[in-house]
Amino acid sequence: MQTLSAALSESIQRLAEAIQTADYILLGAGAGLSAAAGLSYADETVFRQRYPYWAARGLRSEYQMISFRSWTAAQQWAYYASHISRVRWEMPPLPLYQQLKAILQGKNYYILTSNVDRQFLRNGFPAQRVFEYQGTYDLLCCSQRCTTAVWPFWPVMQQMLAHTQPADFSIPDTLLPCCPHCGAPLRLAFRDYPQYGQEKAAYQQWLRQSEDGLLCIIEIGVGFNSPGVIRVPFERITGERQQVIFFRITADYPDSEEEIAYPEIPRPIADKSVSINADAALVLQQLAQLI
């Protein structure tokens, strides 16, 4: 077992005490939590093995592909099919999420996540306590929004995977998904599905309810890929409330050269905050022994 520094042990002890004494727990989870659990977008070995076509062209990780645009629609969908298959369906429920669920058992908590891998729900977290802010990989919608209808991506993905051409990592144009109503291209629905508004409203209602007690905010594995989802709102809530303590848990990915971990705490909220610059798996393992 890894030996912890005195400062790290003290910070984890403070987190354990905050969880036990708080009236409410708000947990924000970014890609760093899934990476610590074994599902990393920054794993360059996995990328080379799964996407040799793109690796040969200088790309190193799925993290880089988030902002990649130099491809045809046929190549884009071939990549999406492979990537989504890996992170959403091939990857099993990850044990670290089970450990987190045990830590939160019996607490009045709510989870806000920017992840679209559905690991929280697949690990049995109650759907009414999880808000997937970015939506999911599960659905397609019309890019022109001619209808509010959505379609499951799974059968479309299976066809794409079966017909992906390795020579240029593309699918046949005949498999490009199109809206059956207007003929426009389909896209991943993410937040554009009928229940999204209700899920967002339920989260906001819980936030309002939490104003009447001590709130413990825990942010795990959140960087600056989409800071407006978790990072900035959590800092704002910490700054606005009196009865609050904020814990930021993040660490560099050991298998990537990308700088995507930012453990710093803004000065205006430093007196109500604790930065834990360590791998989430290590922190949760230690935390489970204290709670």
Side-chain angles (χ1 to χ4, degrees), residues 153-168:
F153 183 49
W154 167 263
V156 177
M157 180 189 75
Q158 292 297 101
Q159 286 293 310
M160 291 177 177
L161 291 173
H163 294 90
T164 295
Q165 306 300 313
D168 62 351

Side-chain angles (χ1 to χ4, degrees), residues 114-136:
S114 57
N115 297 340
V116 289
D117 52 32
R118 312 223 82 176
Q119 279 292 326
F120 282 105
L121 298 187
R122 294 179 67 202
N123 275 281
F125 283 81
Q128 65 270 24
R129 291 190 177 275
V130 179
F131 177 35
E132 297 170 313
Y133 188 96
Q134 303 281 46
T136 79

Side-chain angles (χ1 to χ4, degrees), residues 76-256:
Q76 182 182 32
W77 278 108
Y79 171 76
Y80 282 169
S82 181
H83 167 72
I84 293 170
S85 177
R86 181 177 94 85
V87 304
R88 172 64 180 90
W89 280 285
E90 296 173 34
M91 190 66 62
L94 298 169
L96 188 63
Y97 281 82
Q98 289 290 325
Q99 195 166 53
L100 178 58
K101 186 171 68 170
I103 290 169
L104 297 176
Q105 187 70 33
K107 311 298 182 184
N108 188 349
Y109 68 86
Y110 219 102
I111 293 167
L112 174 65
T113 182
S114 57
N115 297 340
V116 289
D117 52 32
R118 312 223 82 176
Q119 279 292 326
F120 282 105
L121 298 187
R122 294 179 67 202
N123 275 281
F125 283 81
Q128 65 270 24
R129 291 190 177 275
V130 179
F131 177 35
E132 297 170 313
Y133 188 96
Q134 303 281 46
T136 79
Y137 279 145
D138 290 18
L139 301 170
L140 296 169
C141 67
C142 177
S143 60
Q144 296 302 308
R145 303 301 289 146
C146 77
T147 174
T148 59
V150 292
W151 296 270
F153 183 49
W154 167 263
V156 177
M157 180 189 75
Q158 292 297 101
Q159 286 293 310
M160 291 177 177
L161 291 173
H163 294 90
T164 295
Q165 306 300 313
D168 62 351
F169 209 83
S170 69
I171 60 170
D173 287 347
T174 55
L175 291 182
L176 293 174
C178 297
C179 176
H181 297 288
C182 72
L186 294 181
R187 61 172 174 81
L188 293 165
F190 292 117
R191 291 173 277 180
D192 291 318
Y193 58 91
Q195 295 78 29
Y196 183 84
Q198 299 171 13
E199 295 167 4
K200 184 175 183 179
Y203 165 65
Q204 293 173 331
Q205 180 180 10
W206 184 91
L207 272 184
R208 290 190 293 269
Q209 292 173 347
S210 71
E211 293 176 355
D212 65 8
L214 175 60
L215 175 65
C216 173
I217 301 178
I218 307 169
E219 177 193 282
I220 306 179
V222 177
F224 280 95
N225 185 43
S226 51
V229 176
I230 298 172
R231 193 176 182 100
V232 173
F234 279 20
E235 291 176 356
R236 176 183 53 78
I237 294 170
T238 302
E240 291 175 350
R241 298 198 185 187
Q242 295 299 318
Q243 298 187 83
V244 63
I245 183 167
F246 172 48
F247 293 86
R248 169 163 285 156
I249 304 169
T250 188
D252 290 312
Y253 290 82
D255 53 4
S256 174

